[in-house]
Amino acid sequence: DLSGHTLIVPGIGGLGHVGELCVDSLVSTLGLRRVAIVHSGYLLPVAMSSAWEMPGGAEKARGDGESSLTTAAELYQGSSRISVLQMRSEVAPGRRWCMAREIMSWARAAGVAELLIVASCSQHVKVDADFDAATELRYVRCGVGKLPSALDGQDAPLPLGHALQAEGIAEGDQAATEGAQAATEGDQAAIAIENLLRGSGLARPLLQMADAPPIAEGQSGQSSQSGLGVLCLLALTGDQPDRRVIEQLALVALACIAEQLGQPALALRVPPSWQFQAAEAA
């Protein structure tokens, strides 16, 4: 049952598997268990040894107890209204929009209240204001409220388009700069998705398919009954992501979940996949 749930999905196909690694940490920290294996004709099929077991070690209690295999897409749930759709396979070539449409249609039909996407964003889109910022995290909102109040401060994520008015959407393009300056905050978020969201995998089409217009900082916004609220948390990174950035992304996601549940945020638990990623990067 997904009615009224927040559904968390990774921006698969992004840089450095940032979204997938972040989702693994959320599953571990929240103590979720696999409740279903999900099939999609748009995902390349895959079966591998358990993602929750280190080679030669004891298996982590995240499976359904029937199989130690991990598949391309799996649904995880616990006792709260939080569900996780973890995907570990690539989308079939040329089918990313179809995959995004399938997820959005499924979420709406199941009564999901909010979609929380965690993904990467290519750091090549940085401008001067980004280099001056204290955080590598960005966000885009569609039909959902502000980020948790606990995140107010120097290291809180910034709107993806926070520097549009200062920089314009194309260096040296006066018309583009004037257009960005005249745009409403919601328009700026839409411009940011179109022009700045690169290397995010599935996150970009999911955001562009959201019912409500994108919301920028300073607007309240609430999920409507007919629409599906979407919050996308992004980590600016390259092909080899810094583990600290992935950890910061996971902590912000946990803070968002904690505020929704009215509970204090849990201490982050490191999943086995982070150790795999560190070994590959070494």
Side-chain angles (χ1 to χ4, degrees):
D1 181 18
L2 295 176
S3 180
H5 279 222
T6 292
L7 179 63
I8 304 170
V9 299
I12 56 171
L15 298 172
H17 304 290
V18 166
E20 297 93 313
L21 291 168
C22 182
V23 165
D24 273 348
S25 69
L26 300 181
V27 172
S28 291
T29 302
L30 297 171
L32 307 182
R33 297 183 64 85
R34 184 174 68 185
V35 296
I37 293 175
V38 181
H39 171 75
S40 170
Y42 302 121
L43 270 182
L44 297 178
V46 67
M48 64 187 77
S49 59
S50 174
W52 310 107
E53 180 181 2
M54 289 297 294
E59 183 176 356
K60 305 298 181 182
R62 296 290 170 261
D64 53 17
E66 298 178 357
S67 173
S68 60
L69 289 178
T70 292
T71 62
E74 299 173 330
L75 185 67
Y76 292 82
Q77 291 182 329
S79 58
S80 62
R81 289 184 175 272
I82 300 296
S83 295
V84 170
L85 175 62
Q86 176 61 300
M87 296 174 283
R88 302 184 188 277
S89 178
E90 293 290 337
V91 177
R95 294 293 184 265
R96 187 171 288 175
W97 275 88
C98 296
M99 184 72 210
R101 186 180 299 111
E102 185 174 63
I103 291 174
M104 295 294 283
S105 298
W106 172 57
R108 289 168 182 146
V112 170
E114 181 177 323
L115 195 66
L116 174 58
I117 308 166
V118 287
S120 58
C121 180
S122 177
Q123 61 188 7
H124 87 272
V125 303
K126 282 185 174 182
V127 294
D128 288 347
D130 290 304
F131 287 106
D132 292 337
T135 177
E136 297 294 304
L137 302 186
R138 303 292 182 266
Y139 70 88
V140 179
R141 301 178 294 134
C142 300
V144 294
K146 293 183 177 180
L147 290 174
S149 56
L151 294 177
D152 289 343
Q154 184 178 8
D155 296 331
L158 297 172
L160 179 61
H162 73 103
L164 280 177
Q165 287 193 0
E167 300 288 341
I169 60 175
E171 184 177 355
D173 187 339
Q174 184 64 29
T177 302
E178 292 175 356
Q181 291 175 337
T184 66
E185 293 186 38
D187 291 335
Q188 289 176 26
I191 293 171
I193 293 171
E194 182 66 27
N195 294 276
L196 301 178
L197 192 50
R198 297 290 184 268
S200 62
L202 200 60
R204 191 165 184 257
L206 284 172
L207 283 168
Q208 291 179 322
M209 287 181 182
D211 281 344
I215 299 174
E217 183 64 16
Q219 296 177 300
S220 57
Q222 296 294 331
S223 299
S224 66
Q225 293 183 350
S226 60
L228 175 64
V230 180
L231 172 62
C232 182
L233 301 175
L234 301 160
L236 293 173
T237 184
D239 291 332
Q240 296 294 330
D242 188 332
R243 175 169 162 171
R244 291 173 297 179
V245 175
I246 301 175
E247 182 175 339
Q248 292 165 5
L249 183 65
L251 289 172
V252 171
L254 285 171
C256 293
I257 294 168
E259 181 149 305
Q260 288 182 356
L261 299 177
Q263 300 173 357
L266 298 173
L268 184 68
R269 295 184 62 181
V270 175
S273 59
W274 287 25
Q275 300 177 53
F276 292 141
Q277 188 266 347
E280 290 180 357

